[in-house]
Amino acid sequence: MKNGVKMIDIAKALDVSVVTVSNALAGRDGVSSQLRVKICETAEKMGYKPSNTKKSKKVTNYSKLGKNVGILTSERFVGDRGTFYWELTANVSNKLSEHNIYTVYECITAKNEKERVLPKMISENKIDGIIVIGQIRRRYIELLSKIDIPLIFVDFYDNRFNVDSVNSDSYFGGYTLTDHLVEMGHRKIGFFGNVTATSSIHDRFLGYIKCLMENNIEYHPEWTLDDRDEFGILYTKINFPEDMPTAFVCNCDETAFRVISALKSKGIRVPEDISIVGYDNYTVSNICIPTITTIDVDLEKMAEVSVEIMSKKLVDPSYREGRRIICGKLIEKNSVLNIRGSYSEIVYG
């Protein structure tokens, strides 16, 4: 070899046989996953270069041979009947398996998150990288960001930390939902969601505000309503203002579902009396009566991109992707009423 590094050098460095090194680099059976990764990493560090393209691919793909990646989710995103995040987690786990990367899942309790207790999969050194799905507290992010392993955020971000993230296009999604209501004649539009609870909700709210401004529609602060407590748990009881808008943009389908149920309990019909839109295109949007107009989030694409980035970081821990945005699309269902004819043509020009 031109660089002088041979298989025997790698074998001596690790105190294993040349045959073992050869099998590991060629991807053949007979070598444990842990030892295979160690041999491939050593070969990479020593500058070993195989003599043909096929072997070269085996070396550069060592991150796909038996690595463990943790998926961490806050307990507030885990519902009794399953949630959007359960489906996203399943998609990420499946994509990791396709890359021969094993998944270690852990749900962090509100108490441990508040007290900054590390997940066991980290404290017990069970993982080589971690994917956090769903917003976590900033102080907990600070804790994780100090751990020297690849880290990715999915469906949220925090500008104070240089952590790669994969997100749906919440800003444009919030804008699109509001614009759809405007197109249907609505000019009294409210927003359901704690604006600063997550980066995703905040971006959806900003998209909503942008659309109001572009259409010269007055913003009513009293129509921006909270849907969850300080711990992120959705309210079981929803309070409405006396003066109601003709439509609400809800930050997620689960909230839209609860809002529709609360309105029905007050004898208010959807969409005849008030229109409702959600976000995610999750299962609940289809089982609700009426079905909920929403933004479809490409969960498979989000999972695919997340695993693609993690694979690169496992190969090169210094790799940085930045923030990846995955576009969604409006899915029209039955929760919006066209009231355009209810207003004078002078209003719309």
Side-chain angles (χ1 to χ4, degrees), residues 48-311:
Y48 173 78
K49 297 184 183 299
S51 59
N52 60 62
T53 304
K54 288 185 178 180
K55 287 184 180 179
S56 178
K57 288 182 178 178
K58 293 294 181 182
V59 172
T60 57
N61 286 335
Y62 68 80
S63 68
K64 300 180 180 181
L65 301 173
K67 290 281 188 176
N68 297 319
V69 168
I71 297 179
L72 182 68
T73 307
S74 173
E75 69 174 350
R76 63 178 170 273
F77 297 123
V78 181
D80 294 335
R81 63 171 177 244
T83 66
F84 165 84
Y85 286 105
W86 270 126
E87 189 169 337
L88 181 54
T89 297
N91 272 272
V92 171
S93 181
N94 289 337
K95 294 295 181 184
L96 287 169
S97 295
E98 290 175 8
H99 285 67
N100 198 25
I101 299 174
Y102 304 102
T103 300
V104 179
Y105 176 77
E106 192 166 337
C107 176
I108 181 174
T109 65
K111 182 176 183 293
N112 284 350
E113 185 177 352
K114 183 178 181 180
E115 296 178 358
R116 304 211 308 169
V117 177
L118 277 176
K120 286 186 177 181
M121 59 185 172
I122 292 180
S123 61
E124 297 178 3
N125 297 314
K126 292 181 178 180
I127 56 174
D128 304 294
I130 185 167
I131 297 175
V132 183
I133 298 180
Q135 189 92 34
I136 54 176
R137 292 171 179 261
R138 177 166 284 171
R139 291 185 69 246
Y140 204 80
I141 293 175
E142 183 179 13
L143 177 69
L144 293 181
S145 66
K146 294 178 180 179
I147 309 298
D148 189 24
I149 60 173
L151 175 64
I152 298 175
F153 296 155
V154 178
D155 200 49
F156 79 101
Y157 61 90
D158 191 311
N159 288 324
R160 290 191 182 178
F161 300 91
N162 184 27
V163 178
D164 294 341
S165 64
V166 179
N167 304 274
S168 68
D169 196 348
S170 291
Y171 179 77
F172 186 67
Y175 177 92
T176 300
L177 287 167
T178 311
D179 190 57
H180 175 65
L181 292 172
V182 173
E183 283 290 307
M184 293 295 104
H186 296 272
R187 296 185 69 82
K188 298 172 67 176
I189 306 171
F191 184 90
F192 250 104
N194 296 46
V195 175
T196 58
T198 71
S199 57
S200 297
I201 296 176
H202 200 172
D203 285 350
R204 289 165 198 175
F205 174 76
L206 293 175
Y208 152 81
I209 291 293
K210 173 181 170 64
C211 188
L212 295 185
M213 294 177 66
E214 283 191 356
N215 289 279
N216 295 315
I217 296 175
E218 183 181 0
Y219 168 64
H220 292 261
E222 68 273 18
W223 289 345
T224 296
L225 305 175
D226 290 348
D227 68 333
R228 62 196 69 199
D229 62 25
E230 61 178 316
F231 302 105
I233 307 299
L234 293 175
Y235 290 137
T236 55
K237 182 180 179 181
I238 296 176
N239 296 316
F240 296 98
E242 286 190 20
D243 178 27
M244 292 278 276
T246 64
F248 274 113
V249 174
C250 297
N251 74 89
C252 67
D253 290 338
E254 182 66 32
T255 290
F257 179 87
R258 290 170 183 250
V259 169
I260 291 173
S261 297
L263 289 170
K264 285 182 179 179
S265 69
K266 293 179 176 293
I268 301 174
R269 301 168 300 168
V270 177
E272 292 85 357
D273 301 321
I274 189 167
S275 294
I276 302 293
V277 294
Y279 197 105
D280 293 333
N281 196 29
Y282 189 61
T283 306
V284 71
S285 69
N286 289 320
I287 65 174
C288 183
I289 301 175
T291 54
I292 303 168
T293 291
T294 185
I295 293 291
D296 181 64
V297 176
D298 193 340
L299 293 180
E300 186 171 350
K301 184 65 175 179
M302 287 184 71
E304 179 183 317
V305 172
S306 300
V307 173
E308 172 191 314
I309 296 171
M310 179 54 73
S311 295

Side-chain angles (χ1 to χ4, degrees), residues 330-342:
L330 179 71
I331 304 295
E332 295 184 47
K333 297 181 185 177
N334 300 318
S335 62
V336 175
L337 182 68
N338 187 340
I339 63 171
R340 188 171 267 283
S342 301

Side-chain angles (χ1 to χ4, degrees), residues 1 3 5-7 10 25 43-44 46-51 59:
M1 305 299 297
N3 62 0
V5 178
K6 300 178 181 179
M7 286 189 188
I10 301 170
L25 296 179
E44 185 85 351
M46 294 178 68
Y48 173 78
K49 297 184 183 299
S51 59
V59 172

Side-chain angles (χ1 to χ4, degrees), residues 11 16-26 30-32 35-36 39:
V16 297
S17 70
V18 175
V19 173
T20 300
V21 172
S22 177
N23 288 338
L25 296 179
V31 185
S32 69
L35 180 57
R36 188 190 304 277
I39 290 172

